[in-house]
């Protein structure tokens, strides 16, 4: 077994000779070439993460390379409440109130063979909150419209569960609850 982890700075070609003996006839020998390749770092984790204001979040920056690369936050400012642990590669914390927004960062992985830098976007969002009312009245046989609105960052997508009365539809892209309820659909 030929095994181990080559040290930094040992990249190159090594010519070896293996011998095999068993007491029968002449020993056998084999010339062998061992190539130690330098492995430059490569950041392999995603280039973006989403955290929420007041909510704990975590993201791990990962990289390959030999020897094992060291990680660093090489550029950018983290929101209050969030830290980066270079030893573990973990970006974590609970973003403080008032920190919603986009944070452009750069992570670097480096070893004796070089480095790799990744542009990274940390988005700190806010929990969706409905801004529209909690009820609307439609009348059978009459065209009606109500717009459902919600605030949050990033902009929340809207959806609906439950059965709508025949003739009424909901459009998630605009938040429009609209249509003409058919006869016999009166009720809550």
């Amino acid at each position: 077994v030929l095994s181990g982890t080559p040290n930094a700075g040992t990249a190159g070609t090594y010519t070896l000779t293996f011998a095999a003996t068993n007491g029968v006839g002449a020993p056998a020998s084999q010339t062998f070439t061992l190539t130690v390749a330098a492995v430059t770092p490569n950041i392999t984790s995603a280039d973006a993460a989403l955290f929420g204001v007041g909510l704990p979040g975590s993201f791990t920056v990962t990289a390959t390379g030999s020897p094992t690369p060291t990680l660093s936050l090489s550029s950018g400012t983290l929101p209050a409440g969030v830290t980066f642990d270079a030893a573990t590669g973990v970006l974590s914390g609970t973003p403080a109130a008032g920190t919603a927004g986009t944070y452009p960062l750069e992570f670097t992985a480096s070893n004796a063979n070089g480095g790799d830098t990744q542009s990274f976007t940390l988005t700190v969002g806010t929990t969706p909150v409905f801004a529209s009312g909690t009820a609307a009245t439609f009348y059978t046989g009459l065209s009606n419209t109500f717009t459902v609105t919600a605030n949050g960052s990033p902009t929340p997508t809207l959806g609906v569960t439950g059965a709508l009365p025949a003739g009424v539809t909901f459009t998630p892209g605009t938040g429009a609850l609209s249509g003409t309820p058919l006869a016999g659909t009166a009720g809550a």
Side-chain angles (χ1 to χ4, degrees), residues 42-102:
N42 181 36
I43 296 176
T44 56
S45 49
D47 65 357
L50 174 64
F51 283 24
V53 170
L55 301 172
S58 181
F59 178 86
T60 302
V61 178
T62 57
T64 59
S66 181
T68 302
T70 58
L71 298 169
S72 64
L73 174 63
S74 51
S75 176
T77 302
L78 295 172
V82 176
T83 60
F84 178 67
D85 183 343
T88 61
V90 175
L91 178 68
S92 64
T94 303
T99 60
T102 302

Side-chain angles (χ1 to χ4, degrees), residues 78-125:
L78 295 172
V82 176
T83 60
F84 178 67
D85 183 343
T88 61
V90 175
L91 178 68
S92 64
T94 303
T99 60
T102 302
Y103 295 82
L105 308 171
E106 279 189 357
F107 290 108
T108 298
S110 57
N111 65 16
N113 301 313
D116 183 30
T117 299
Q118 179 191 59
S119 294
F120 184 89
T121 302
L122 173 62
T123 302
V124 176

Side-chain angles (χ1 to χ4, degrees), residues 9 20 38 49 52 85-86 108 137 139 145 163 167 175:
D85 183 343
T108 298
T137 301
Y139 299 94
T145 299

